[in-house]
Amino acid sequence: MKNILVTGGCGFIGVNFIRYLLADPDFKGRIINADNLTYAGNPESLENIAERYPQRYYFEKADICDQKQIGAIFEKYHIDAIAHFAAESHVDRSIVGPDAFIRTNINGTFNLLEQTRRYQEQIVLFHHVSTDEVYGSLGDDGFFTETTPYDPSSPYSASKAASDHLVNAYHRTYGIPITISNCSNNYGPFQFPEKLIPLMILNALEGKPLPVYGDGKNVRDWLYVTDHCRALWTIMQKGQRGETYNVGGRCEMRNIDLVEMICDLLDRMAPDSLHKPHRNLITFVKDRPGHDQRYAIDFSKLEHDLGWSPEESYETGIEKTIHWYLENTKWVNRIKSGAYLSWIETHYADNAS
Ligand code: NAD
Ligand code: TYD
């Protein structure tokens, strides 16, 4: 893998992956980041990376749905591997407006696969970054395994499920060398503050309500983003072609417990905050339609076959994340401009119960 095309490399996980890979002394290749910079894409998150890694990192503003743009990138950089992150990724947005999810997640993945097929002779891997949400919802017991039947609930997870099927089909039909990872909820630096953890941190610091959907008893499995990046690179290097690997944090938490934990940490880590105790800001709001009750991952295949397991505990991971948002005020302030504010404010005005 000498010339890796990273799609969606200006988003939360893509940024962390690019930083992770370029910092790995064993990786000598080039990264070509193709991103069309939607509201979730932030080139600022990769500030100075091109200067720090000359001849190793390149950015192309390109839409994965555009045949010409993507074909030209394969040609220009002699792409031999693809790490496909680009997606519309927020469940709430997919409920309000599914169109963009169908376009990017399904049609965009289809177009990337077609370009990969066109340049098949030079391709050693197409890695597809996907989600555990394709499996639907669990009750109180059990875990998702790689053989759990797909049962997506939201337009987001349905579009990711469709893209997973396409990737598998291109392996079986055309022999494209693929791997797929289905991962649980990520958190950490550079996450756009519409997702639960950064939203709660930033709202709390501003004294805004902390909107918990429904009764707050929905359970998510949380994985620190650097652990995910290490899992991705492990799968890309050692994973068997044609296989799917589940990735999880062994860290199940109820939303309400997680939000209370964030509040308590903020009381300690932001002692000058005018909004202590931050727990007083917690507000229960109308539930998300089709809200999956519980996610939990069995990642024993990845652990046993490829030797990966998560290193960060949620205690250290959440504290590190809060610290990052407290320190990186320039990034936070830039993010919290027009597009972000208008979505969040309209969304929660509609949702107030
Ligand atoms: P994100 O929303 O933060 O970033 C998505 C990136 O894709 C942005 O930079 C955006 O500009 C880019 N993009 C969107 N449409 C594009 C298009 N048509 N062409 C080119 N670029 C486009 O998402 P994320 O949280 O970094 O997630 C990355 C991937 O990981 C997604 O495929 C998502 O489904 C998957 N995933 C995310 C999580 C999570 O907890 N965030 C968990 C499991 C899997
Ligand atoms: P989210 O970060 O949107 O990830 P996903 O929907 O992909 O799991 O949400 C995580 C959990 O937190 C989910 O159960 C919905 C809940 N949630 C809230 O209670 N309030 C919020 O403001 C948000 C964004 C999410």
Side-chain angles (χ1 to χ4, degrees):
M1 290 182 271
K2 293 201 182 83
N3 297 305
I4 304 182
L5 172 62
V6 172
T7 68
C10 294
F12 163 50
I13 307 175
V15 160
N16 280 284
F17 181 74
I18 289 171
R19 289 173 170 273
Y20 172 86
L21 200 50
L22 288 172
D24 177 349
D26 294 331
F27 176 68
K28 310 276 187 233
R30 304 193 297 177
I31 290 180
I32 298 86
N33 173 7
D35 195 304
N36 71 342
L37 303 182
T38 68
Y39 76 96
N42 291 292
E44 297 91 349
S45 305
L46 290 166
E47 217 169 25
N48 304 326
I49 290 290
E51 292 77 34
R52 206 184 308 160
Y53 299 97
Q55 322 292 323
R56 304 275 315 281
Y57 172 77
Y58 300 85
F59 175 70
E60 293 279 349
K61 185 169 185 304
D63 185 337
I64 59 163
C65 302
D66 189 313
Q67 274 182 32
K68 282 210 183 99
Q69 285 181 351
I70 299 299
I73 292 172
F74 273 73
E75 189 84 46
K76 178 174 169 189
Y77 295 99
H78 308 287
I79 297 301
D80 56 11
I82 299 102
H84 176 31
F85 294 84
E88 289 291 336
S89 70
H90 192 43
V91 173
D92 291 325
R93 284 183 191 253
S94 83
I95 295 168
V96 177
D99 313 42
F101 290 72
I102 305 306
R103 180 182 180 275
T104 289
N105 301 0
I106 305 179
N107 295 336
T109 301
F110 165 65
N111 181 44
L112 263 185
L113 287 164
E114 277 293 276
Q115 298 312 315
T116 304
R117 187 156 80 91
R118 217 172 117 207
Y119 290 89
Q120 189 161 354
E121 279 176 15
Q122 68 194 49
I123 302 297
V124 296
L125 178 65
F126 184 108
H127 179 78
H128 179 55
V129 182
S130 193
T131 167
D132 60 349
E133 301 189 25
V134 297
Y135 300 122
S137 183
L138 292 165
D140 290 342
D141 305 314
F143 295 88
F144 298 135
T145 72
E146 287 82 358
T147 55
T148 302
Y150 276 31
D151 186 21
S153 304
S154 69
Y156 164 66
S157 50
S159 68
K160 292 298 290 188
S163 64
D164 290 10
H165 289 317
L166 279 170
V167 174
N168 269 318
Y170 270 64
H171 172 68
R172 291 192 205 163
T173 307
Y174 305 114
I176 304 284
I178 67 105
T179 43
I180 298 178
S181 49
N182 292 92
C183 184
S184 59
N185 289 56
N186 283 216
Y187 69 98
F190 300 108
Q191 187 167 32
F192 193 81
E194 64 186 353
K195 303 283 194 324
L196 182 71
I197 291 180
L199 180 79
M200 294 297 159
I201 297 171
L202 298 183
N203 273 15
L205 290 172
E206 287 186 41
K208 289 183 176 168
L210 307 181
V212 173
Y213 297 165
D215 60 8
K217 291 183 181 154
N218 302 68
V219 172
R220 294 292 181 267
D221 174 63
W222 293 96
L223 180 68
Y224 193 68
V225 65
T226 313
D227 275 330
H228 187 196
C229 294
R230 191 166 44 79
L232 291 171
W233 188 227
T234 302
I235 296 166
M236 288 177 71
Q237 288 179 294
K238 300 198 280 184
Q240 198 173 324
R241 282 21 185 173
E243 289 292 311
T244 287
Y245 295 88
N246 279 355
V247 189
R250 208 173 268 137
C251 175
E252 282 184 57
M253 286 186 90
R254 297 192 315 173
N255 292 338
I256 185 63
D257 298 333
L258 176 56
V259 173
E260 286 181 353
M261 176 185 165
I262 292 170
C263 289
D264 297 348
L265 281 169
L266 279 172
D267 289 352
R268 176 163 65 74
M269 293 173 73
D272 298 334
S273 168
L274 300 175
H275 312 294
K276 290 189 299 184
H278 295 95
R279 278 187 189 219
N280 287 351
L281 298 168
I282 293 175
T283 312
F284 289 93
V285 300
K286 197 165 78 186
D287 207 356
R288 170 189 281 174
H291 195 176
D292 288 331
Q293 185 57 37
R294 175 172 166 262
Y295 301 148
I297 302 274
D298 176 345
F299 57 87
S300 50
K301 179 173 170 182
L302 180 56
E303 193 165 35
H304 295 145
D305 293 4
L306 307 186
W308 176 91
S309 56
E311 285 174 359
E312 199 74 51
S313 73
Y314 73 90
E315 288 100 336
T316 56
I318 305 275
E319 192 161 330
K320 263 189 185 173
T321 304
I322 293 177
H323 185 72
W324 190 88
Y325 280 91
L326 287 171
E327 289 289 297
N328 287 274
T329 46
K330 196 172 140 210
W331 186 91
V332 167
N333 290 336
R334 244 180 336 213
I335 291 286
K336 297 188 76 170
S337 59
Y340 162 74
L341 282 179
S342 63
W343 151 257
I344 295 287
E345 275 163 18
T346 323
H347 178 65
Y348 288 111
D350 292 348
N351 259 6
S353 60

